[in-house]
PDB file of all heavy atoms in Angstrom:
ATOM      1  N   LYS A  49      16.753  23.542  23.692  1.00 97.00           N
ATOM      2  CA  LYS A  49      17.880  23.742  22.768  1.00 97.00           C
ATOM      3  C   LYS A  49      17.546  23.189  21.376  1.00 97.00           C
ATOM      4  O   LYS A  49      17.992  23.712  20.368  1.00 97.00           O
ATOM      5  CB  LYS A  49      19.143  23.042  23.299  1.00 97.00           C
ATOM      6  CG  LYS A  49      19.708  23.659  24.566  1.00 97.00           C
ATOM      7  CD  LYS A  49      21.030  22.971  24.886  1.00 97.00           C
ATOM      8  CE  LYS A  49      21.405  23.095  26.338  1.00 97.00           C
ATOM      9  NZ  LYS A  49      22.445  22.126  26.723  1.00 97.00           N
ATOM     10  N   PRO A  67      15.238   2.491  22.974  1.00 98.00           N
ATOM     11  CA  PRO A  67      15.987   1.381  22.405  1.00 98.00           C
ATOM     12  C   PRO A  67      15.216   0.064  22.365  1.00 98.00           C
ATOM     13  O   PRO A  67      15.645  -0.877  21.703  1.00 98.00           O
ATOM     14  CB  PRO A  67      17.190   1.260  23.347  1.00 98.00           C
ATOM     15  CG  PRO A  67      16.729   1.820  24.643  1.00 98.00           C
ATOM     16  CD  PRO A  67      15.691   2.843  24.336  1.00 98.00           C
ATOM     17  N   MET A  69      11.044  -2.029  23.503  1.00 97.00           N
ATOM     18  CA  MET A  69       9.665  -1.923  23.987  1.00 97.00           C
ATOM     19  C   MET A  69       9.621  -1.708  25.494  1.00 97.00           C
ATOM     20  O   MET A  69       8.772  -0.988  26.011  1.00 97.00           O
ATOM     21  CB  MET A  69       8.896  -3.205  23.650  1.00 97.00           C
ATOM     22  CG  MET A  69       8.280  -3.187  22.275  1.00 97.00           C
ATOM     23  SD  MET A  69       7.442  -4.738  21.909  1.00 97.00           S
ATOM     24  CE  MET A  69       5.979  -4.607  22.910  1.00 97.00           C
ATOM     25  N   ALA A 133      22.493   6.193  26.575  1.00 98.00           N
ATOM     26  CA  ALA A 133      21.949   7.414  27.181  1.00 98.00           C
ATOM     27  C   ALA A 133      21.123   7.058  28.418  1.00 98.00           C
ATOM     28  O   ALA A 133      21.139   7.779  29.416  1.00 98.00           O
ATOM     29  CB  ALA A 133      21.113   8.185  26.176  1.00 98.00           C
ATOM     30  N   VAL A 210      -7.447   4.127   9.618  1.00 96.00           N
ATOM     31  CA  VAL A 210      -7.954   5.266   8.836  1.00 96.00           C
ATOM     32  C   VAL A 210      -6.888   6.362   8.815  1.00 96.00           C
ATOM     33  O   VAL A 210      -6.007   6.402   9.666  1.00 96.00           O
ATOM     34  CB  VAL A 210      -9.269   5.843   9.432  1.00 96.00           C
ATOM     35  CG1 VAL A 210     -10.377   4.811   9.403  1.00 96.00           C
ATOM     36  CG2 VAL A 210      -9.055   6.344  10.859  1.00 96.00           C
TER      37      VAL A 210
END
Side-chain angles (χ1 to χ4, degrees):
K49 292 186 202 163
M69 273 178 74
V210 297

